[in-house]
Amino acid sequence: MVELCVNHVITQLKMEDLKNYKEIARESRIKCLELIYRAQVSHIGSVLGCADIFAVLFDKIDFEKDKFILSAGWKAAMLYFHLWKKGRITEEELNSYCKEGSKWIGLAEPVHKDIIFAGGSMGMGISAAVALAWSKKQRKQDGRIYVLESDGGMQVGINAEAMRFAAHHNLNNITLIIEKNGFQAMGKTEDIVKQDLREECTAYGWSVFEINGHDHTQIERAIYGSRDWSCPIVFIAETIKGKGVSAWEGDNLWHYAQIKESDYDYAKICLNS
């Protein structure tokens, strides 16, 4: 890992802040496990892996000025949990996840004012985020655009165009977080398309840093630090798919596998320990 250094913005984290992030991430994993199990849908591995990023990011987002796009839309359960945690949706809406007739489906769709772009089609979110960041610049509006993408999603070709546009127009009001767990639907990302994310993003003209996507200190410093940069910035956050459930960690089976009752009981023990 390359440690993020932002000399002019160093966050002094209190121990209670770190404990709070840890507890929120744990709570989110348990609740999302329950939602996905009850609905008998998939993507639990991806959802568990992004919990720590969401715990910090949604503590820092200012909903009056900032916007968030979940380009990796299959992590929708985690997004819904945090919208509920922030009081943006009701508990009834959260618990309707993937139930018949519910608008809260397993892919992030623009069904709510805080979900401004669909994440169902892979790799579209960065282009939308760049457009929003450019619009904010033109209108001289405060706030940032945050977008969460997966390493697999970075293989989509339109990302190159969007990222070059952002650098050309000096869009320093956008923060891209690439969650790098090394997998995509059909296998390891390196076996499907060989890529060097740091090299590619640097070539597009973005400032690039690598962080541990489960280290709350690094995540918070990244979010704070990105606010004072003079160019678009990307954080490659390395995570573990299935984080928190020992037997599921790094196992791509849990991208699509449905959770059986025995799996659910085992996972609850892991997440509560």
Side-chain angles (χ1 to χ4, degrees), residues 224-238:
Y224 267 122
S226 68
R227 296 173 179 177
D228 278 10
W229 279 76
S230 59
C231 60
I233 189 164
V234 55
F235 296 100
I236 302 170
E238 189 167 328

Side-chain angles (χ1 to χ4, degrees), residues 48-146:
L48 293 175
C50 67
D52 297 297
I53 295 171
F54 268 89
V56 181
L57 181 59
F58 269 70
D59 184 63
K60 303 305 176 191
I61 284 180
D62 182 345
F63 282 98
E64 298 303 314
K65 299 186 299 182
D66 303 329
K67 300 294 182 184
F68 172 71
I69 291 178
L70 179 58
S71 189
W74 53 94
K75 306 175 196 287
M78 186 60 68
L79 172 60
Y80 302 157
F81 170 86
H82 282 277
L83 289 177
W84 166 75
K85 190 75 175 176
K86 298 290 286 188
R88 312 297 287 188
I89 67 173
T90 68
E91 188 171 11
E92 182 180 3
E93 288 174 314
L94 175 65
N95 287 330
S96 74
Y97 176 74
C98 286
K99 290 183 178 179
E100 185 175 356
S102 174
K103 67 181 182 180
W104 304 97
I105 65 171
L107 293 169
E109 296 288 324
V111 296
H112 185 272
K113 65 180 181 179
D114 295 321
I115 308 175
I116 56 176
F117 190 78
S121 296
M122 193 169 176
M124 304 289 286
I126 295 176
S127 294
V130 167
L132 287 167
W134 182 81
S135 177
K136 271 188 175 291
K137 277 283 189 180
Q138 296 300 303
R139 301 180 189 197
K140 302 187 186 306
Q141 295 176 342
D142 293 332
R144 295 194 68 77
I145 309 299
Y146 296 94

Side-chain angles (χ1 to χ4, degrees), residues 255-273:
H255 189 82
Y256 284 134
Q258 291 182 325
I259 304 169
K260 299 176 183 177
E261 184 177 1
S262 58
D263 300 322
Y264 180 59
D265 292 340
Y266 165 72
K268 282 195 299 182
I269 291 172
C270 290
L271 296 174
N272 280 298
S273 61

Side-chain angles (χ1 to χ4, degrees), residues 3-252:
E3 185 176 356
L4 172 65
C5 269
V6 184
N7 293 330
H8 51 298
V9 180
I10 296 294
T11 315
Q12 297 300 318
L13 276 176
K14 298 177 181 178
M15 188 59 67
E16 53 264 35
D17 292 330
L18 290 174
K19 287 181 179 178
N20 188 46
Y21 292 145
K22 184 177 180 179
E23 176 56 27
I24 290 172
R26 188 187 71 85
E27 181 187 355
S28 72
R29 287 184 171 105
I30 292 171
K31 183 60 179 180
C32 288
L33 171 72
E34 174 196 320
L35 293 173
I36 292 172
Y37 169 65
R38 286 183 176 178
Q40 281 298 286
V41 291
S42 54
H43 299 305
I44 186 62
S46 299
V47 170
L48 293 175
C50 67
D52 297 297
I53 295 171
F54 268 89
V56 181
L57 181 59
F58 269 70
D59 184 63
K60 303 305 176 191
I61 284 180
D62 182 345
F63 282 98
E64 298 303 314
K65 299 186 299 182
D66 303 329
K67 300 294 182 184
F68 172 71
I69 291 178
L70 179 58
S71 189
W74 53 94
K75 306 175 196 287
M78 186 60 68
L79 172 60
Y80 302 157
F81 170 86
H82 282 277
L83 289 177
W84 166 75
K85 190 75 175 176
K86 298 290 286 188
R88 312 297 287 188
I89 67 173
T90 68
E91 188 171 11
E92 182 180 3
E93 288 174 314
L94 175 65
N95 287 330
S96 74
Y97 176 74
C98 286
K99 290 183 178 179
E100 185 175 356
S102 174
K103 67 181 182 180
W104 304 97
I105 65 171
L107 293 169
E109 296 288 324
V111 296
H112 185 272
K113 65 180 181 179
D114 295 321
I115 308 175
I116 56 176
F117 190 78
S121 296
M122 193 169 176
M124 304 289 286
I126 295 176
S127 294
V130 167
L132 287 167
W134 182 81
S135 177
K136 271 188 175 291
K137 277 283 189 180
Q138 296 300 303
R139 301 180 189 197
K140 302 187 186 306
Q141 295 176 342
D142 293 332
R144 295 194 68 77
I145 309 299
Y146 296 94
V147 56
L148 179 65
E149 183 56 276
S150 67
D151 46 352
M154 288 302 297
Q155 296 168 4
V156 177
I158 58 172
N159 289 331
E161 297 176 31
M163 294 182 74
R164 288 189 182 111
F165 180 92
H168 178 74
H169 291 277
N170 197 33
L171 300 183
N172 63 336
N173 59 342
I174 184 170
T175 299
L176 167 61
I177 302 171
I178 303 172
E179 189 196 350
K180 180 184 176 184
N181 61 31
F183 292 98
Q184 57 195 85
M186 295 294 117
K188 292 183 177 180
T189 52
E190 64 181 12
D191 293 337
I192 296 168
V193 174
K194 192 77 171 178
Q195 59 186 160
D196 185 325
L197 291 172
R198 184 181 183 88
E199 183 178 286
E200 289 177 13
C201 294
T202 301
Y204 298 148
W206 290 48
S207 288
V208 184
F209 297 95
E210 295 173 275
I211 62 172
N212 182 335
H214 300 302
D215 186 312
H216 300 128
T217 303
Q218 289 190 30
I219 298 166
E220 186 177 72
R221 286 179 175 173
I223 293 168
Y224 267 122
S226 68
R227 296 173 179 177
D228 278 10
W229 279 76
S230 59
C231 60
I233 189 164
V234 55
F235 296 100
I236 302 170
E238 189 167 328
T239 63
I240 299 171
K241 199 162 190 171
K243 177 70 174 178
V245 181
S246 302
W248 299 0
E249 291 185 353
D251 186 347
N252 206 39

